[in-house]
Amino acid sequence: MIVRPFRALRPTREMVSKIAAKPYDVVTEEQAREVAKVNPYTWYKVTRPEIHFDHPVDTLDPQVHVKGKEHMEWLIKNGYMFVEDKPAIYIYQQHWRDHVQTGFFATFSVDEYIENKIKKHELTRKDKEDERVIHFKVVGAQTGPVFLMYKSRPEIDELIMKHASGEPEYDFVDESGVRHIVWVLKDDNEIQKIVDAFKDVDAFYIADGHHRAAASVRTALDLRQENPNYTGEEEFNYFLAAIFPHTQLRILDYNRVVKDLNGLSEEEFMKKVSEKFTITPWDGIYKPERKHTIGMYLSGKWYKLEPKPGTYDENDAIDSLDVSILQKNLLAPILGIENPRTDKRIDFVGGILGIEELQRLVDEGKFKVAFAMYPTSIEDLIKVSDEGKIMPPKSTWFEPKLKSGIVVHLI
């Protein structure tokens, strides 16, 4: 697999904590506006350029993204950001609660994505892709990293860890309590060791950022058409990502809440659920403790649900996922939620908010029933990706999130 150093556009040490921002797609426009009110430097002014306007705008309009480009140029002009003097790899370590993960920022091959050597597990929406393609082309940069992983190898992991020491270039704690540490690796010999170490790796896997990856590839294909004499070495042939060994990543639960019981009484609902699941009433909050256990909260009470034999195929990468078991045996046939991507009666709650959030949403009457899921495993994600299959929507919630604006790839 190809790992390629690059000359990042990046903040000065003094400005990194002010500029760096969450991925554009995990904050609402209103949240980005609130940050921008108190922080004029925020990278949201690049990745969410609609916040420059005091009226609704169409983010498929290239002129909206011109505002993002102008903000990036303003940061450069005023010396808040600069372009690296030579290609580098950026060792990236995140500390969150009791968890540490160490990887690096680099650029990765568009062609290897096209050849499916960079494997996916999610469907993407064309409208979201379209918006990012316009963004990347107008701004002239990949403004946020894709989140990649590789199957851990001790010799590669150690090679990366060797450089996660000494005086870092950046070391700051963000608004979510995540500590971000970056070391800039410019030594050509050491970079080459990392590049060479990955040459016999078979595949990379997208953990998060499928739309950013797909949009980067579409941007490259567009620019190749516009530049028929391209050599393959142009920056647009590569996309920005941070990559980590799979053993260091953490997937949190991604839970479900539903607004009604599809016309059923609670008694009728429980009877139907009991046909496919063993139901155990639970004292206090029930947080699933292993695969194939699901928590259910209804009318002030928690229950443990365990799927009965015959409700799923343990040998099928998709069918054996807990989110699939719940969808196939309860959400669709009992609650009538055939397409959780589009049905307005269901919502999804990231595990970062805690199991108590599910209880609160039901207790306040916003939803009728909640389902607490055991987190999808990294191994399940790899298995699904290797088989070329697509996970059900909202199967994984990676935490901590990568920051945008720490390093930017100019194309």
Side-chain angles (χ1 to χ4, degrees):
M1 296 297 291
I2 295 170
V3 169
R4 182 173 171 274
F6 71 109
R7 293 175 61 201
L9 169 67
R10 61 185 182 88
T12 62
R13 283 189 183 186
E14 298 74 26
M15 294 300 297
V16 66
S17 63
K18 295 183 177 70
I19 291 172
K22 290 180 180 179
Y24 78 100
D25 53 354
V26 301
V27 293
T28 64
E29 179 183 333
E30 190 52 43
Q31 288 170 330
R33 283 185 187 279
E34 289 303 312
V35 172
K37 282 179 186 175
V38 295
N39 177 7
Y41 311 101
T42 178
W43 198 242
Y44 292 140
K45 287 190 170 185
V46 177
T47 57
R48 300 295 301 255
E50 62 270 30
I51 69 176
H52 289 276
F53 299 85
D54 58 7
H55 54 84
V57 293
D58 180 3
T59 54
L60 293 175
D61 179 354
Q63 289 306 308
V64 173
H65 297 276
V66 168
K67 289 293 185 183
K69 179 179 178 65
E70 288 173 353
H71 183 69
M72 184 175 80
E73 291 173 342
W74 176 80
L75 290 169
I76 297 167
K77 180 183 174 184
N78 285 280
Y80 303 133
M81 297 185 80
F82 66 96
V83 178
E84 203 75 63
D85 59 354
K86 63 176 290 189
I89 279 175
Y90 302 85
I91 308 299
Y92 184 32
Q93 189 172 83
Q94 295 176 295
H95 296 243
W96 180 63
R97 299 178 182 173
D98 61 345
H99 179 71
V100 179
Q101 57 194 38
T102 307
F104 61 89
F105 290 107
T107 58
F108 298 83
S109 170
V110 161
D111 291 309
E112 289 189 337
Y113 177 101
I114 294 168
E115 294 160 8
N116 205 37
K117 293 179 181 177
I118 296 174
K119 300 189 177 187
K120 310 96 184 161
H121 67 267
E122 275 185 18
L123 292 174
T124 53
R125 280 173 34 194
K126 184 177 181 299
D127 59 331
K128 288 182 70 175
E129 282 185 31
D130 290 347
E131 191 270 347
R132 279 297 103 171
V133 170
I134 292 165
H135 176 75
F136 291 159
K137 290 177 77 172
V138 172
V139 177
Q142 292 152 356
T143 55
V146 177
F147 192 165
L148 294 180
M149 65 181 177
Y150 64 92
K151 288 181 183 175
S152 174
R153 291 188 188 180
E155 67 275 16
I156 295 179
D157 302 353
E158 289 165 13
L159 196 55
I160 296 164
M161 281 302 299
K162 183 177 87 169
H163 298 290
S165 62
E167 175 76 17
E169 180 68 5
Y170 303 136
D171 187 348
F172 67 98
V173 177
D174 70 14
E175 69 281 3
S176 299
V178 179
R179 184 181 176 196
H180 303 266
I181 311 175
V182 177
W183 294 265
V184 180
L185 178 60
K186 292 186 183 180
D187 184 294
D188 292 335
N189 291 329
E190 294 301 317
I191 289 174
Q192 195 60 45
K193 288 177 186 176
I194 293 175
V195 170
D196 289 344
F198 280 97
K199 283 181 177 175
D200 66 343
V201 170
D202 295 329
F204 294 147
Y205 299 84
I206 298 179
D208 207 359
H210 284 78
H211 286 93
R212 289 189 285 285
S216 296
V217 172
R218 281 183 49 193
T219 300
L221 295 177
D222 284 356
L223 292 174
R224 286 176 178 184
Q225 279 198 320
E226 293 169 20
N227 300 275
N229 296 320
Y230 77 93
T231 65
E233 290 304 307
E234 296 86 357
E235 293 298 328
F236 59 72
N237 295 291
Y238 300 86
F239 66 91
L240 174 64
I243 191 165
F244 297 84
H246 83 282
T247 50
Q248 292 186 22
L249 299 187
R250 177 178 289 184
I251 299 177
L252 300 188
D253 42 308
Y254 216 157
N255 305 305
R256 278 90 171 114
V257 285
V258 181
K259 290 188 174 176
D260 58 66
L261 297 184
N262 197 29
L264 299 170
S265 68
E266 289 186 14
E267 186 178 358
E268 291 168 332
F269 171 71
M270 293 294 279
K271 186 172 185 299
K272 284 181 176 289
V273 172
S274 69
E275 292 170 8
K276 296 295 181 77
F277 297 86
T278 300
I279 304 175
T280 306
W282 205 263
D283 289 332
I285 290 176
Y286 177 68
K287 185 175 173 65
E289 74 272 21
R290 57 179 171 80
K291 192 175 181 180
H292 302 336
T293 60
I294 297 168
M296 182 174 75
Y297 187 65
L298 175 69
S299 293
K301 285 206 65 171
W302 279 95
Y303 302 88
K304 175 182 179 179
L305 305 185
E306 295 176 275
K308 291 182 175 180
T311 53
Y312 65 95
D313 180 356
E314 190 60 64
N315 296 315
D316 187 296
I318 298 294
D319 201 56
S320 60
L321 294 172
D322 286 352
V323 289
S324 297
I325 293 169
L326 182 70
Q327 178 63 33
K328 186 177 80 169
N329 295 286
L330 197 159
L331 295 180
I334 300 175
L335 294 179
I337 296 169
E338 298 292 342
N339 188 347
R341 289 181 190 279
T342 57
D343 199 309
K344 301 297 186 191
R345 294 166 52 232
I346 189 170
D347 205 352
F348 304 89
V349 182
I352 184 73
L353 298 173
I355 227 80
E356 295 79 10
E357 177 68 3
L358 301 181
Q359 189 166 306
R360 183 187 71 79
L361 289 170
V362 173
D363 287 347
E364 291 181 0
K366 295 175 182 175
F367 292 88
K368 180 65 179 175
V369 61
F371 299 96
M373 312 303 297
Y374 188 73
T376 302
S377 71
I378 295 287
E379 289 70 27
D380 282 336
L381 186 154
I382 289 174
K383 185 180 180 185
V384 169
S385 301
D386 281 341
E387 292 183 10
K389 294 179 178 176
I390 299 298
M391 281 195 166
K394 313 295 185 183
S395 295
T396 59
W397 180 282
F398 281 89
E399 201 69 42
K401 302 291 184 191
L402 308 181
K403 278 295 200 203
S404 296
I406 292 179
V407 293
V408 178
H409 181 218
L410 299 175
I411 58 172

